[in-house]
Amino acid sequence: MRVFLRKYQLIIITVFCLVSGFLDAQSYTKDSLQIKSYTVIEYRNNEVKDIQLLKVICDYCSDFQKEVIGEEAKRRTYLERFDPKNRLKDGKKKLAIYIRIAKTDFAEIKDN
């Protein structure tokens, strides 16, 4: 009986740790921003021909900040180009790129 209770205690402690860890993982919303952008990869004969930025969705960004975020979105799209779920033989693959940035770092993006 004692071993049986010990197992339940371990299970309860494990579940508690997982739940509290999950709740802590969601705390990024307090000190960071999430910005969405859309990009397109154009493939011809299984090769990347072009990567284009379609749109950066950010209501509070200046034009310069949108430009910087757009360049980062294109860089991340470039890194995703060989992922099997994104590859095409011929055609265009649209991607939604989410960029998470700390509010302090975002505030430092200024046009000089």
Side-chain angles (χ1 to χ4, degrees), residues 4-34:
F4 186 70
L5 290 175
R6 184 82 170 155
K7 286 182 183 180
Y8 275 117
Q9 287 174 339
L10 289 174
I11 291 172
I12 290 171
I13 291 171
T14 304
V15 169
F16 178 74
C17 290
L18 290 174
V19 169
S20 65
F22 176 74
L23 294 176
D24 288 340
Q26 299 300 321
S27 66
Y28 69 87
T29 57
K30 294 177 188 172
D31 60 352
S32 67
L33 302 170
Q34 182 171 295

Side-chain angles (χ1 to χ4, degrees), residues 77-94:
T77 301
Y78 181 78
L79 297 174
E80 290 284 325
R81 71 191 186 281
F82 292 128
D83 189 349
K85 66 182 177 189
N86 295 331
R87 287 195 61 88
L88 297 173
K89 182 170 169 55
D90 288 313
K92 295 181 179 182
K93 176 67 177 178
K94 294 181 181 179

Side-chain angles (χ1 to χ4, degrees), residues 10 19 29 31 35 38-39 45 52 55 59 68 83 106:
L10 289 174
V19 169
T29 57
D31 60 352
I35 301 168
Y38 293 103
T39 57
N45 297 324
Q52 296 176 344
K55 189 174 187 177
D59 295 334
V68 171
D83 189 349
F106 182 76

Side-chain angles (χ1 to χ4, degrees), residues 23-99:
L23 294 176
D24 288 340
Q26 299 300 321
S27 66
Y28 69 87
T29 57
K30 294 177 188 172
D31 60 352
S32 67
L33 302 170
Q34 182 171 295
I35 301 168
K36 186 175 185 179
S37 59
Y38 293 103
T39 57
V40 173
I41 306 173
E42 185 179 346
Y43 290 97
R44 285 194 203 123
N45 297 324
N46 282 335
E47 292 183 12
V48 175
K49 291 297 176 187
D50 191 24
I51 296 175
Q52 296 176 344
L53 175 69
L54 296 179
K55 189 174 187 177
V56 175
I57 300 175
C58 181
D59 295 334
Y60 40 83
C61 296
S62 68
D63 290 336
F64 181 73
Q65 288 170 327
K66 283 184 180 182
E67 185 179 322
V68 171
I69 298 293
E71 290 300 318
E72 176 63 18
K74 284 177 69 173
R75 186 189 73 78
R76 290 185 185 191
T77 301
Y78 181 78
L79 297 174
E80 290 284 325
R81 71 191 186 281
F82 292 128
D83 189 349
K85 66 182 177 189
N86 295 331
R87 287 195 61 88
L88 297 173
K89 182 170 169 55
D90 288 313
K92 295 181 179 182
K93 176 67 177 178
K94 294 181 181 179
L95 297 173
I97 304 293
Y98 293 89
I99 297 172

